[in-house]
Amino acid sequence: MPQLAHNFVFLCNRKREQDVFNILGVVYGSALFLGFMNCSILQPVVAMERVVLYREKAAGMYCTLAYAIAQMAIELPYMLVQVLIFASIVYPMIGFEMTAVKFFWFVLYMVLSFMYYTLYGMMTVALTPNLEIAAGLSFLIFIFWNVFSGFIIGRELIPIWWRWVYWANPAAWTVYGLMFSQLGDRTELIRVPGQPDQTVREFLEGYLGLENRYFNLVTCLHLAIIALFAFLFFIFIKHLKFQRR
């Protein structure tokens, strides 16, 4: 508890460049690792239920579309409960501004993050013949999502010929949305080694490349990738059959 209290005070006092990086690290860990764990836990369940789908579909009990909709819909309550519990604990501990609007943005981006991780895990199971290949494919893609999320290497520091990977990376969109929605309007001065003091917003724009003009785009991209993964899950589960007799 003393350590948690220390972290709370430390993160609330945003006076240095490192304080912003600490918050970035919390946001990065929250979005990526929780999403990855949720995806990994879900994949064995989807793999087992796919066998049931083959049996019931052959018996004419229900169509693939009904199965896909039910499979996606049943995950929503779990995601909402997880995010609300997580946000109610972590949000005040980080020291974010306690307003309804900013808390809403935090919850929204966490829910969207859980949704695309969940749907991506379901899609990889539908695409591959067994759980092992699905897990391996997911891990490979998650490496790219991790490296180009904007935490290990800021967007402005990524070589220009690799920045397309950043913009094609859902994890980067989540980090972008969470950071800018919480700190994008902050005007407190922070100390940056080797540079004049600058506001939090100026630091986000100059070093991390988080700008207001892309904020709405990032939100729309979340919705687009969720719809894409859901559509691909339905297509793969409908047309790819790996059942062995």
Side-chain angles (χ1 to χ4, degrees), residues 197-240:
D197 291 353
Q198 51 191 281
T199 65
V200 174
R201 178 166 186 164
E202 290 172 345
F203 180 74
L204 293 179
E205 292 179 354
Y207 184 82
L208 300 177
L210 308 184
E211 304 175 42
N212 183 56
R213 58 177 174 167
Y214 296 126
F215 183 64
N216 292 332
L217 173 63
V218 164
T219 306
C220 294
L221 287 174
H222 277 83
L223 300 176
I225 200 67
I226 289 170
L228 176 62
F229 286 162
F231 175 74
L232 291 177
F233 170 67
F234 167 68
I235 293 298
F236 293 153
I237 203 71
K238 179 178 177 63
H239 295 287
L240 299 180

Side-chain angles (χ1 to χ4, degrees), residues 35-44 131 142:
F36 175 72
M37 290 299 298
N38 198 59
C39 174
S40 301
I41 294 172
L42 173 71
Q43 284 180 322
L131 178 61
F142 288 155

